[in-house]
Amino acid sequence: MSTAQAAEEPALAGPAPLPRLLSALFYGACSFLLVLVNKVVLSTYSFPSPMFLGIGQMATTILILYVSKLNKIIHFPDFDKSIPVKLFPLPLIYVGNHISGLSSTRKLSLPMFTVLRKFTIPLTLLLEIIILGKRYPLSIIVSVFAIILGAFIAAGSDLAFNLEGYTFVLLNDIFTAANGVYTKQKIDPKELGKYGVLFYNAFFMVIPTVIISFSTGDLQQATDFKHWTNFLFLFQFLLSCLLGFLLMYSTVLCSHYNSALTTAVVGAIKNVSIAYIGMLFGGDYIFSFLNFIGLNICMAGGLRYSFLTLRGNIKPKQPPDEENTLLDSKS
């Protein structure tokens, strides 16, 4: 091995383990809390307007980031005509992810919602291979498909099948996978950076979403909702808006320090944890032996993936020509 190659290996190793782990835990915690709060707002209080809730989360993101920029806490580029081109297609994916995610949360029980969200993982794996040119070892692919096998077993025994809910959650899987991969591609600090991606995503899509909400009657349903004077509902609605921002930020942070696939698997482990809680406290879980076995297979696959990640065996391999180019440029 040449001196240049030896010097290059640490650079290719990526971020240190601690930031990778902490960013993944932060993402998992934010995602876990947001699903629980959204479930209360949309199901317990029967809030009829998931799109309006998404608008609240976008507006919160815009407000927090803009005020932070004005106070020089963070930095991202000022608007110019090149930004929409740099960002495309993230804003469209972003709003699709928001609306389909909120709609599916309302239509399905928590356990089945979390099971069907597992299909984000193979979609992310596929998109990383196609768009980012990454390759993964067999041990990782086996772990991913163990998660999917468990999801199939659990979903196949669903005693509360809801076609509309299944459609929304599978759309959400597609949007989430695309969002993770394209975010990883576009958070280059030399371009928009992570704060620029977050701000302009929300900025470009909040007005079109308001228009769609108005035209579909979603906005009218929200304004007519009877619990706006209920302090507990209002608190949880605002908490959902704040957690929506934190989830978007933690997703970008996790994707920055890890692969988009790792972000998806962290989400899967979080979702199975929610499924276990839903069995005990959710009140809308119908027990089935096959469903329970499937959930445990999902968790085993997710934990196996996590073990391999922390052990450092799953760093995506770069295509040979890209590696050689990197080594040649350093020699």
Side-chain angles (χ1 to χ4, degrees), residues 1-12 326-331:
M1 181 184 294
S2 69
T3 304
Q5 286 176 319
E8 181 62 26
E9 282 186 352
L12 287 174
L326 284 169
L327 294 175
D328 291 342
S329 67
K330 296 290 181 181
S331 56

Side-chain angles (χ1 to χ4, degrees), residues 5 7 20 28 99 106 118 133-134 141 160 172 219 263 265 278 292 325:
Q5 286 176 319
R20 292 172 61 195
I99 295 170
R106 184 177 60 171
K118 303 299 178 299
K134 292 184 177 180
I141 295 173
N172 190 220
L219 188 60
T263 304
V265 172
F292 182 71
T325 301

Side-chain angles (χ1 to χ4, degrees), residues 201-215:
N201 253 342
F203 179 77
F204 287 139
M205 290 314 300
V206 67
I207 294 177
T209 307
V210 169
I211 294 171
I212 294 170
S213 179
F214 178 78
S215 62

Side-chain angles (χ1 to χ4, degrees), residues 115-184:
V115 165
L116 293 173
R117 290 287 286 135
K118 303 299 178 299
F119 291 95
T120 298
I121 299 170
L123 290 170
T124 302
L125 179 67
L126 181 62
L127 288 176
E128 281 201 321
I129 292 170
I130 294 171
I131 296 172
L132 302 181
K134 292 184 177 180
R135 291 177 294 157
Y136 287 94
L138 181 61
S139 57
I140 291 308
I141 295 173
V142 169
S143 298
V144 165
F145 279 93
I147 297 171
I148 304 311
L149 174 63
F152 267 116
I153 293 172
S157 62
D158 184 15
L159 302 180
F161 180 81
N162 182 311
L163 178 60
E164 186 179 358
Y166 273 48
T167 302
F168 273 120
V169 78
L170 291 175
L171 284 173
N172 190 220
D173 291 342
I174 295 169
F175 284 124
T176 300
N179 186 67
V181 173
Y182 276 106
T183 295
K184 181 71 173 179

Side-chain angles (χ1 to χ4, degrees), residues 17 85 101 109 114 174 198 207 251 275 282 286 288 291 315 318 327:
V85 177
S109 70
T114 57
I174 295 169
L198 284 173
I207 294 177
T251 302
I286 301 173
S288 159
N291 184 281
K315 185 183 181 304
Q318 292 174 300
L327 294 175

Side-chain angles (χ1 to χ4, degrees), residues 38-60:
N38 282 347
K39 187 68 177 174
V40 171
V41 171
L42 295 169
S43 297
T44 304
Y45 286 100
S46 300
F47 185 67
S49 310
M51 200 177 300
F52 185 83
L53 182 57
I55 291 168
Q57 294 173 355
M58 292 180 210
T60 302

